[in-house]
């Protein structure tokens, strides 16, 4: 799997991805330092968000993952910095559609 990079010049920025056919496989999103908020939504199945220590393409093992119910939005305010942030998403159901929307204030 490849890291999905958000566009720093066009915020808000919406990325839609169908997650791996292997359950609990992490997909990394690289988020611009200009971003201040992230919205994550899993369509039809619950998923998880990992904020620290994820690995793109790896199956979740000891990472701390925050659950997100199916068809619900999860919002996270990012610390404002000039550095790029990463989050990782995964679902226990194969091929779950996930929306990641990046906002700037």
């Amino acid at each position: 799997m490849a890291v999905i990079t958000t566009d720093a010049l066009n915020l808000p920025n919406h990325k839609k991805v169908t997650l791996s056919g292997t359950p609990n496989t992490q997909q990394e999103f690289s988020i611009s330092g200009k971003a201040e908020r992230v919205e994550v939504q899993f369509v039809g199945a619950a998923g998880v968000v990992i904020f620290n220590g994820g690995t793109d393409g790896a199956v979740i093992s000891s990472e701390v993952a925050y659950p997100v119910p199916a068809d619900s939005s999860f919002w996270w305010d990012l610390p404002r910095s000039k550095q790029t942030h990463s989050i990782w998403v995964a679902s226990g159901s194969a091929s779950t559609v996930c929306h990641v929307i990046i906002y700037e204030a």
Side-chain angles (χ1 to χ4, degrees):
M1 297 174 67
V3 175
I4 297 173
T5 302
T6 60
D7 184 355
L9 299 176
N10 297 309
L11 294 175
N13 190 289
H14 175 237
K15 298 290 184 180
K16 175 184 173 186
V17 64
T18 300
L19 299 176
S20 174
T22 304
N24 297 314
T25 299
Q26 301 171 49
Q27 173 64 61
E28 183 176 356
F29 285 84
S30 176
I31 300 168
S32 162
K34 289 178 57 179
E36 291 188 350
R37 178 177 265 198
V38 177
E39 178 183 3
V40 178
Q41 183 182 55
F42 296 92
V43 178
V48 296
V49 178
I50 300 165
F51 297 107
N52 294 302
T55 303
D56 187 60
V59 174
I60 295 172
S61 60
S62 62
E63 295 84 6
V64 176
Y66 298 88
V68 179
D71 304 317
S72 298
S73 287
F74 174 82
W75 298 83
W76 185 51
D77 291 327
L78 296 167
R80 184 100 169 139
S81 74
K82 298 297 180 192
Q83 298 178 343
T84 300
H85 306 277
S86 282
I87 62 168
W88 296 263
V89 297
S91 177
S93 299
S95 303
T96 299
V97 173
C98 178
H99 295 273
V100 175
I101 305 168
I102 312 302
Y103 299 92
E104 179 183 31

